[in-house]
Amino acid sequence: MKDRFKKPQNSFDISPGMKGFFVTSTRGRERKCALETIDLLEEYTARLYPSLEQEIADDAGGKGNEPQKAGTNDIEDEIAREVAMMKSEKAPKLFRYLPTTIECIVYIKCHKAIDPERLVQFMFADLAKTRQRKTRYTSRLIPAKVTTTSKLDAIVLAANKVAHDLLAEDAEPTTFALVINIRCCDDLKRDEIIKAVAAPLDIKHKVDLKNAKYTLVIEAFKSICTIGLVEDYNALRRFNLQTLFDEKDSTQKEEPTPQPREPSDPTEGKAAE
């Protein structure tokens, strides 16, 4: 895992064409945030794409082994080889931390075979059910389906690409919202982005800032802009892990300790269970 952090912290290696995840962290804990977020992403990737690492290894030349006759020893050898590959330093790296040089902002690049939107949606749907705290320094975790330059024309082009299904002629009318954050981009104007990006969506769909089915999240920082489309943004606590977990903790603290008492009638006792 150390090779994920080889680059110096003041480097900026994020470039258009990448895809991954835009993450916000606790101030001064960007590196730790990246580490725990990658662990979380790897956990859910293994569940969503159980054979992905093997497929990537095969594509990279893992199929060059000569065929062997079937047998008990052959099966055991095959299992041993798979275990060795998983432990090997040459195993494919699915995620890589790229510093943004901006406080509280982390970018994690993912392998091209991974769909960031699908992975984040899958992850938060599960965490919303279990409410099991798995991170300490990570706040918002937003898919970067497309990474482009922080220029208005590039952002509009990328947004249309990300929202392709919503812009299709046969798309069913639905609700949408835009979430736009701009950091260290003085020439970029939020109102201009809203007007340009929302225009084609307004033709068929309706804006709903509270309970939109789809939310296009645009995060511009320095010379880069990431864009991702998510479902049920507000219902899933704006994809903020801290909010999701803290809500569970506060609920547990507020629950009163049950006090034994004599029910006034049989139905009252059952209702209290």
Side-chain angles (χ1 to χ4, degrees):
M1 192 170 288
K2 291 182 179 180
D3 60 334
R4 295 171 182 154
F5 301 93
K6 280 184 178 179
K7 294 288 184 179
Q9 294 299 300
N10 61 353
S11 65
F12 189 84
D13 298 313
I14 307 167
S15 59
M18 293 180 177
K19 65 177 181 177
F21 307 88
F22 175 92
V23 188
T24 61
S25 72
T26 303
R27 187 182 302 277
R29 298 292 185 271
E30 291 82 5
R31 182 185 174 89
K32 291 184 178 180
C33 164
L35 181 61
E36 68 180 13
T37 300
I38 288 176
D39 286 342
L40 184 63
L41 291 170
E42 287 178 340
E43 175 186 340
Y44 279 91
T45 297
R47 294 167 58 178
L48 186 61
Y49 303 96
S51 61
L52 180 59
E53 288 196 359
Q54 181 63 56
E55 292 172 0
I56 294 173
D58 289 343
D59 290 341
K63 294 181 179 179
N65 295 329
E66 295 182 0
Q68 299 181 2
K69 295 180 181 180
T72 303
N73 291 336
D74 294 338
I75 294 175
E76 292 176 352
D77 291 343
E78 182 64 26
I79 294 174
R81 282 195 296 271
E82 291 182 3
V83 172
M85 187 199 72
M86 293 175 63
K87 294 181 178 180
S88 172
E89 293 183 356
K90 296 183 180 179
K93 299 297 184 292
L94 301 180
F95 305 98
R96 189 174 297 276
Y97 166 46
L98 299 178
T100 65
T101 69
I102 302 176
E103 282 190 331
C104 306
I105 303 299
V106 169
Y107 184 94
I108 297 175
K109 178 184 177 182
C110 72
H111 191 277
K112 62 182 180 180
I114 295 174
D115 183 342
E117 293 174 344
R118 184 183 176 199
L119 179 56
V120 168
Q121 206 76 47
F122 173 73
M123 179 191 308
F124 271 84
D126 181 69
L127 292 174
K129 294 177 182 178
T130 64
R131 299 296 176 92
Q132 182 180 355
R133 183 178 290 274
K134 294 175 179 287
T135 57
R136 182 177 180 183
Y137 306 106
T138 306
S139 296
R140 295 172 67 237
L141 177 54
I142 304 298
K145 181 66 172 287
V146 173
T147 301
T148 186
T149 61
S150 56
K151 300 293 184 181
L152 181 60
D153 56 347
I155 293 173
V156 174
L157 186 64
N160 289 341
K161 180 180 179 181
V162 172
H164 175 268
D165 291 343
L166 295 180
L167 297 175
E169 292 184 3
D170 58 349
E172 292 292 331
T174 185
T175 55
F176 78 96
L178 302 180
V179 172
I180 302 172
N181 294 302
I182 302 173
R183 302 172 178 83
C184 304
C185 302
D186 295 337
D187 295 335
L188 203 55
K189 307 301 180 185
R190 187 171 182 274
D191 291 343
E192 293 179 355
I193 298 176
I194 294 174
K195 183 178 179 180
V197 172
L201 292 169
D202 277 332
I203 297 174
K204 181 174 289 189
H205 309 298
K206 182 180 179 181
V207 175
D208 186 341
L209 300 180
K210 292 185 178 180
N211 297 298
K213 178 61 179 175
Y214 296 96
T215 299
L216 199 61
V217 186
I218 300 174
E219 299 283 352
F221 54 99
K222 290 192 172 182
S223 60
I224 291 297
C225 180
T226 67
I227 305 175
L229 184 69
V230 296
E231 296 183 39
D232 304 320
Y233 182 73
N234 288 328
L236 291 175
R237 304 301 180 264
R238 301 183 179 182
F239 289 78
N240 189 316
L241 291 170
Q242 293 285 8
T243 302
L244 192 67
F245 297 145
D246 290 346
E247 184 180 68
K248 174 199 172 185
D249 294 342
S250 62
T251 301
Q252 289 180 335
K253 291 177 182 178
E254 291 173 2
E255 288 181 354
T257 304
Q259 298 294 326
R261 64 187 180 86
E262 297 255 345
S264 58
D265 61 67
T267 59
E268 182 182 346
K270 292 181 180 179
E273 291 179 354

